[in-house]
Amino acid sequence: MASPMARPAAPLTPVDAVVARMRALDTALPARDGVAVFNRVYLTVTEEVGRRLTAGEFPDPRAAGTLDARFAQRYLAAVDAADRDRRPPACWRPLFQLRRHPGVRPLQFALAGVNAHIGHDLALAVVDTCRMLGCEPAELEDEFDRVGELLVALEERVREDLMPGPDLLQIADPLTHLLGSWSLERARDAAWAAARALWALRYCAGIAEEFTERLDAAVGFAGRMLLTPLPG
């Protein structure tokens, strides 16, 4: 029987909730599944955001926590759509379509997930957060930059954990060319520009929708290129 003096468990924060969901996916998915590959590296970064929020390392913890949770929820919504045989956003479709392809290497799966999430989801998460908190994108710039620093760590972790070894340095390896074709820094800068554009268009629903659809399609095209099956 619990002690009457025992304190109730603290409620889950939005970041705690998305971390719990990603941990459940990590347990449920086969290790070689392409979505599982991305999920593992993204889970590590999201856990680090939660740790830094608890430690008070963000100037505005509410804004940072809201942005991180809204960001992660877009990825999890894509997972749910695929699981229910609905069409996820175009940026995520290549990863779900090729997640079990034997000719796609783990590093490609991870980078394709990063591409979809930053290239498309991050801009929309900024807009979601501004609407929820009643603020302008400029007021989130510090939090965006700090989360961005952790995303750089995500890319570094992807490369450290999934790099195939010294053969990568051989210029003839097609993976070398794929790695050189995509930049997290450029994707993050583009996401910030897209977020500001979408916020400026928030009262022009038709134009904003068209902008979002074209962004989604362009990011999906880049993801399909990143997942080009390669010889072993």
Side-chain angles (χ1 to χ4, degrees):
M1 183 174 180
S3 166
M5 299 299 291
R7 294 181 180 180
L12 284 179
T13 69
V15 174
D16 292 334
V18 294
V19 165
R21 178 73 197 288
M22 282 190 273
R23 286 175 178 164
L25 283 172
D26 186 50
T27 300
L29 293 174
R32 184 59 176 77
D33 182 290
V35 176
V37 173
F38 168 72
N39 189 79
R40 281 194 297 274
V41 290
Y42 185 37
L43 170 59
T44 300
V45 172
T46 309
E47 288 172 334
E48 180 63 13
V49 171
R51 188 195 68 75
R52 294 191 185 191
L53 282 167
T54 301
E57 295 182 20
F58 286 96
D60 186 340
R62 179 169 176 249
T66 302
L67 176 59
D68 190 68
R70 295 297 298 170
F71 187 33
Q73 285 162 4
R74 286 194 168 271
Y75 154 62
L76 294 172
V79 172
D80 288 341
D83 285 349
R84 295 169 186 171
D85 293 325
R86 297 201 306 264
R87 283 167 67 83
C91 61
W92 285 106
R93 283 175 213 155
L95 180 60
F96 289 111
Q97 290 166 353
L98 296 168
R99 63 195 293 179
R100 298 180 182 88
H101 196 296
V104 179
R105 304 183 195 179
L107 181 57
Q108 293 174 260
F109 288 132
L111 289 182
V114 174
N115 168 71
H117 203 36
I118 295 176
H120 174 264
D121 294 353
L122 184 53
L124 299 185
V126 170
V127 174
D128 291 344
T129 302
C130 288
R131 286 177 172 150
M132 288 182 69
L133 301 182
C135 65
E136 298 283 326
E139 297 172 66
L140 290 179
E141 191 164 5
D142 285 346
E143 283 65 39
F144 180 93
D145 287 343
R146 286 175 181 258
V147 171
E149 290 169 6
L150 291 174
L151 294 172
V152 171
L154 168 67
E155 186 185 33
E156 291 172 354
R157 182 177 179 86
V158 166
R159 293 174 187 267
E160 288 173 5
D161 290 357
L162 301 177
M163 199 72 82
D167 289 347
L168 180 69
L169 300 177
Q170 296 179 4
I171 196 167
D173 189 334
L175 186 56
T176 303
H177 298 281
L178 280 178
L179 285 174
S181 69
W182 188 85
S183 163
L184 185 145
E185 290 287 350
R186 290 196 298 269
R188 190 178 65 170
D189 289 347
W192 182 246
R196 293 176 61 202
L198 282 169
W199 187 250
L201 293 170
R202 65 191 182 279
Y203 300 123
C204 304
I207 299 174
E209 183 178 358
E210 182 179 353
F211 182 97
T212 302
E213 288 176 357
R214 290 181 182 274
L215 175 67
D216 189 21
V219 174
F221 179 77
R224 184 63 187 83
M225 295 302 99
L226 287 169
L227 291 171
T228 300
L230 302 175

